[in-house]
């Protein structure tokens, strides 16, 4: 048996191809693929693949081509195991632009996909068959009730398909309204079943169907409409295979119409009235869907903007950390040179004037502070008590008697008479103290006391805990490390003078933060800023931003001022010292409080 050749040989020779190649680009728009019935075969096959997930069945075939045998937009043939789909529903898309196998491609043609979902609901839930000899009118009524029943059943397993079913309602319902097969009261009843039935299963909202509900109540009467509502509500609860119950509901439908129709007047323009009401319902549903899509798009854009802002913030923080690391590396250099804001050595402007031996008073102050820090860092041992039914532990006689009573009563003993106490030593938190001193010309009075305080704090911290670290940076426009974050106690006091200009507190805080890990919990952390805060706006903003980051991380920030003309740096705890000589004691007290508050 010969096979059909789906790839035909070219109809031109090599010479003809060379001649035609010269005319490939003649300035005209590129040729578009032609739409033919054969081009829709792939679309139908891919729809069949998606039908498996929609209906839960693998024995169905999807036929997609322009026009249908049934004349409807789509149809399900249970005896043939086939779903027929009109390719014109995809307009204006061409077959090469449609890829149903890709999940999410259906968002480009929601109305067509909604019709397909509706037929999938029929394939999954319209499993009853009409018995031989059934009244055709009753069967037609049952099929009418089946429309909303299958959509309600489909929503139970696939609630996310509601949007597509709402979109498809216009395509499915409007042809029945414009070209009705029923007349008069039965036409109005059919419209009520199609629209209000979808309302009751959750496809349409009650507010959207108000126009049809009011018109049907006016035409059918409140009693008949209530009876029909009870019938389709009961049909919604019918099982998929229960043909007897479904036909019984259809029979009640026909009987209710036969009883009430003779007494009900029929408006002359009933078809137009019903069409207008259904159009109002569909327009209201479309407006609701458009508003929901707009809100969803706004929420998506907001989330995207938030994610972008968070990513930018993370990137900015990472850049700041890298810059802080570079600044700390350049400032805490072994040679003790002054560095510029970009980390290069400054040719002049070093405020350090030399070193000296500590006085006896400074040594006594360091010893007192060391004892105070050690006492503040001490943590009581924690006790953990556990009970058990067996030793070791102290015997509790009441629990022992209760256990014996439980055993004598024949129940499972739950009392635990032995109590064991476990005591554990709590770790001592280390100390991290950073001192930033302003060495601009207005801070000359602070030089001697701050130099003394820096040595006292560094000496006391090294004697208290080997893990404790301190560092001191003198800043104006440049940065100079007076003490470095090492575990060794300094032997000499570094002296300095204040004769600089401008203020680079932001970079000084970055260097101290990175060198002492002031942003990391687990230690007593304190940043002391000795300054009059008489900065320009940019310098104040940069410093306040760094201070806020440290306080948010749990680091205490203390600002010491020596003159009444000093300003308050935002975010810091302000402490005014009329006597500059009291600065070492104030810094020691703040360091003790910081380590005492550490948990």
């Amino acid at each position: 048996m010969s096979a059909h050749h789906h790839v035909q040989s070219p109809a031109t020779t090599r010479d003809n191809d060379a001649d035609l190649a010269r005319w490939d680009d003649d300035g005209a728009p590129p040729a578009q693929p032609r739409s033919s019935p054969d081009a829709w075969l792939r679309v139908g096959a891919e729809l069949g693949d998606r039908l498996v997930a929609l209906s839960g069945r693998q024995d169905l075939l999807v036929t997609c081509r322009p026009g249908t045998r049934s004349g409807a937009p789509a149809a399900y043939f249970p005896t043939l195991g086939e779903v027929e789909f009109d390719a014109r529903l995809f307009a204006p898309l061409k077959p090469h632009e449609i890829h149903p196998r890709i999940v999410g491609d259906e968002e480009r043609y929601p109305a067509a996909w909604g019709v397909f979902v509706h037929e999938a609901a029929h394939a999954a839930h319209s499993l009853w068959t009409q018995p031989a000899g059934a009244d055709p009118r009753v069967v037609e009524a049952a099929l009418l009730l089946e429309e909303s029943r299958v959509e309600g059943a489909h929503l139970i397993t696939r609630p996310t398909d509601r949007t597509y079913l709402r979109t498809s309602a216009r395509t499915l319902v409007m042809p029945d309204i414009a070209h009705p097969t029923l007349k008069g009261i039965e036409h109005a009843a059919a419209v009520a079943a199609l629209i209000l039935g979808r309302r009751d299963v959750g496809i349409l909202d009650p507010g959207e169907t108000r126009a049809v509900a009011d018109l049907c109540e006016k035409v059918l009467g409140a009693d008949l409409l209530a009876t029909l509502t009870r019938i389709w509500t009961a049909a919604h609860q019918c099982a998929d295979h229960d043909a007897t119950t479904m036909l019984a509901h259809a029979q009640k439908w026909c009987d209710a119409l036969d009883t009430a129709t003779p007494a009900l007047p029929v408006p002359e323009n009933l078809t137009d009235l019903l069409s207008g009401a259904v159009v109002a319902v569909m327009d209201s549903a479309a407006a609701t869907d458009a508003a929901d899509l707009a809100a969803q798009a706004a929420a998506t854009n907001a989330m995207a903007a938030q994610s972008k802002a968070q990513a930018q913030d993370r990137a900015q923080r990472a850049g700041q950390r890298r810059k802080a690391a570079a600044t700390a590396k350049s400032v805490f250099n072994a040679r003790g040179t002054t560095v510029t804001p970009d980390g290069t050595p400054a040719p002049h402007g070093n405020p350090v004037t030399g070193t000296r031996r500590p006085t006896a008073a400074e040594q006594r102050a360091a010893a007192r502070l060391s004892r105070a820090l050690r006492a503040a860092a001490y943590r009581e041992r924690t006790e953990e008590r556990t009970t058990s039914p067996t030793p070791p532990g102290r015997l509790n006689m009441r629990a022992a008697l209760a256990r014996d009573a439980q055993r004598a009563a024949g129940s499972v003993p739950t009392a635990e008479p032995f109590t064991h106490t476990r005591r554990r030593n709590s770790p001592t938190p280390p100390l991290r103290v950073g001192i930033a001193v302003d060495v601009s010309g207005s801070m000359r009075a602070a030089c001697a006391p701050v130099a003394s305080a820096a040595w006292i704090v560094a000496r006391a911290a090294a004697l208290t805990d080997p893990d404790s670290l301190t560092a001191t940076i003198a800043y104006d426009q440049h940065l100079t490390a007076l003490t470095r974050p090492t575990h060794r106690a300094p032997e000499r006091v570094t002296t300095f003078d204040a004769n600089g200009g401008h203020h680079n507190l932001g970079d000084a805080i970055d260097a101290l933060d990175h060198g002492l890990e002031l942003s990391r919990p687990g230690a007593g952390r304190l940043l002391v800023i000795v300054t009059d805060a008489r900065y320009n706006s940019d310098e104040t903003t940069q410093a306040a931003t760094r201070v806020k980051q440290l306080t948010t991380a749990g680091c205490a920030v203390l600002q010491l001022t020596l003159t009444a003309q000093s300003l308050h740096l935002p975010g810091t705890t302000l402490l005014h010292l009329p006597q500059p000589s009291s600065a070492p004691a104030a810094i020691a007290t703040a360091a003790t409080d910081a380590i005492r508050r550490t948990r």
Side-chain angles (χ1 to χ4, degrees):
M1 179 181 296
S2 61
H4 294 286
H5 292 281
H6 297 279
V7 181
Q8 300 291 333
S9 301
T12 59
T13 65
R14 182 174 301 177
D15 295 337
N16 290 337
D17 289 341
D19 184 63
L20 291 174
R22 294 194 298 268
W23 301 94
D24 282 346
D25 185 8
D26 58 355
Q32 299 294 332
R34 296 182 179 180
S35 177
S36 65
D38 294 340
W40 293 101
L41 292 177
R42 177 192 55 82
V43 178
E46 294 189 11
L47 288 174
D49 294 339
R50 294 293 299 276
L51 184 61
V52 176
L54 293 174
S55 65
R57 296 179 57 177
Q58 300 182 359
D59 59 338
L60 301 176
L61 175 68
V62 177
T63 302
C64 180
R65 56 175 174 263
T68 58
R69 302 189 304 271
S70 61
Y76 164 60
F77 299 95
T79 56
L80 300 177
E82 179 186 356
V83 172
E84 188 182 35
F85 196 84
D86 191 348
R88 291 175 296 185
L89 294 175
F90 289 108
L93 297 178
K94 303 299 181 182
H96 68 278
E97 301 174 324
I98 304 169
H99 304 280
R101 184 173 296 172
I102 301 175
V103 177
D105 191 65
E106 62 270 13
E107 297 178 0
R108 299 168 52 238
Y109 37 86
W113 188 257
V115 174
F116 185 65
V117 171
H118 178 83
E119 299 307 324
H122 276 298
H125 301 286
S126 295
L127 305 181
W128 58 273
T129 56
Q130 64 184 63
D135 186 352
R137 182 167 176 254
V138 173
V139 173
E140 192 68 23
L143 295 178
L144 177 66
L145 299 175
E146 185 76 358
E147 290 295 299
S148 58
R149 186 192 76 85
V150 296
E151 291 192 1
H154 184 81
L155 282 188
I156 296 176
T157 56
R158 295 183 60 89
T160 56
D161 288 339
R162 178 177 182 266
T163 302
Y164 299 109
L165 291 174
R166 287 169 55 85
T167 307
S168 69
R170 181 186 298 268
T171 305
L172 295 173
V173 175
M174 288 306 297
D176 295 335
I177 306 301
H179 306 285
T181 57
L182 302 175
K183 302 296 182 181
I185 299 302
E186 291 191 0
H187 186 197
V191 172
L194 293 174
I195 299 299
L196 303 184
R198 284 178 166 85
R199 174 201 64 186
D200 293 343
V201 297
I203 302 297
L204 301 175
D205 295 332
E208 298 168 346
T209 59
R210 178 62 60 187
V212 169
D214 293 343
L215 179 60
C216 289
E217 183 177 1
K218 181 179 179 181
V219 174
L220 301 175
D223 294 338
L224 178 58
L225 181 59
T227 300
L228 298 180
T229 301
R230 287 192 296 269
I231 293 174
W232 74 56
T233 301
H236 293 164
Q237 308 301 321
C238 186
D240 295 340
H241 295 82
D242 195 351
T244 302
T245 304
M246 200 66 194
L247 292 176
H249 292 314
Q251 184 63 56
K252 293 179 182 179
W253 180 276
C254 295
D255 293 343
L257 291 178
D258 291 341
T259 302
T261 297
L264 295 175
V266 180
E268 295 181 359
N269 57 343
L270 178 59
T271 300
D272 295 337
L273 293 175
L274 292 174
S275 298
V278 172
V279 169
V281 170
M282 298 305 166
D283 291 342
S284 178
T288 302
D289 292 341
D292 291 342
L293 288 175
Q296 184 178 2
T300 302
N301 293 336
M303 291 181 62
Q306 183 180 5
S307 300
K308 183 179 180 180
Q310 291 175 349
Q312 292 176 348
D313 183 64
R314 289 193 298 268
Q316 183 179 4
R317 288 180 180 272
Q320 291 177 353
R321 287 193 297 268
R322 290 191 297 268
K323 181 182 178 183
T327 303
K329 182 178 179 181
S330 62
V331 172
F332 298 121
N333 57 81
R335 298 183 301 275
T337 57
T338 300
V339 297
T340 61
D342 59 2
T344 59
H348 55 80
N350 192 330
V352 176
T353 58
T355 63
R356 62 173 175 82
R357 294 182 61 85
T359 64
E362 290 172 339
Q363 292 178 350
R364 289 194 298 271
R368 287 195 302 270
L369 179 57
S370 177
R371 290 192 296 270
L373 292 176
R374 193 177 296 111
Y378 176 75
R379 300 293 185 266
E380 294 288 344
R381 291 191 301 174
T382 60
E383 292 186 355
E384 179 182 357
R385 294 189 177 185
T386 58
T387 59
S388 63
T390 59
R394 176 173 294 184
L395 179 62
N396 185 328
M397 291 304 300
R398 177 176 295 180
L401 293 175
R403 186 176 181 83
D404 291 341
Q406 291 172 347
R407 187 181 293 108
S411 60
V412 178
T414 58
E416 297 180 342
F418 293 94
T419 302
H420 178 66
T421 302
R422 176 180 297 178
R423 296 175 176 84
R424 297 181 178 179
N425 292 326
S426 300
T428 300
L431 180 66
R432 302 282 191 270
V433 178
I435 301 176
V437 55
D438 183 359
V439 291
S440 60
S442 60
M443 293 296 296
R444 187 164 300 167
C447 294
V450 171
S452 178
W455 183 88
I456 291 172
V457 172
R459 181 75 177 180
L463 295 176
T464 302
D465 190 331
D467 291 333
S468 295
L469 296 174
T470 65
T472 305
I473 292 180
Y475 70 91
D476 51 3
Q477 183 178 0
H478 306 314
L479 304 178
T480 306
L482 303 180
T483 61
R484 293 163 184 78
T486 62
H487 299 287
R488 294 185 301 174
E491 298 294 337
R492 300 178 65 84
V493 179
T494 302
T495 60
F496 59 94
D497 196 6
N499 52 12
H502 301 286
H503 310 86
N504 191 12
L505 178 56
D507 287 344
I509 295 177
D510 286 342
L512 290 171
D513 183 13
H514 186 270
L516 300 175
E517 297 182 338
L518 296 178
S519 298
R520 178 176 295 183
R525 294 164 290 153
L526 172 66
L527 173 64
V528 180
I529 305 174
V530 185
T531 180
D532 56 7
R534 302 181 70 85
Y535 305 158
N536 60 42
S537 58
D538 292 339
E539 294 170 344
T540 302
T541 301
Q542 293 177 4
T545 301
R546 307 308 201 280
V547 169
K548 182 178 180 181
Q549 292 174 355
L550 286 180
T551 55
T552 303
C555 177
V557 181
L558 176 66
Q559 178 190 354
L560 298 183
T561 62
L562 306 178
T563 63
Q565 292 78 20
S566 300
L567 302 179
H568 181 204
L569 190 63
T572 63
T573 301
L574 180 63
L575 179 60
H576 178 63
L577 300 177
Q579 297 294 331
S581 59
S582 60
I587 294 175
T589 302
T592 304
D593 293 340
I595 199 169
R596 184 180 291 114
R597 290 193 301 267
T598 304
R599 293 292 182 265

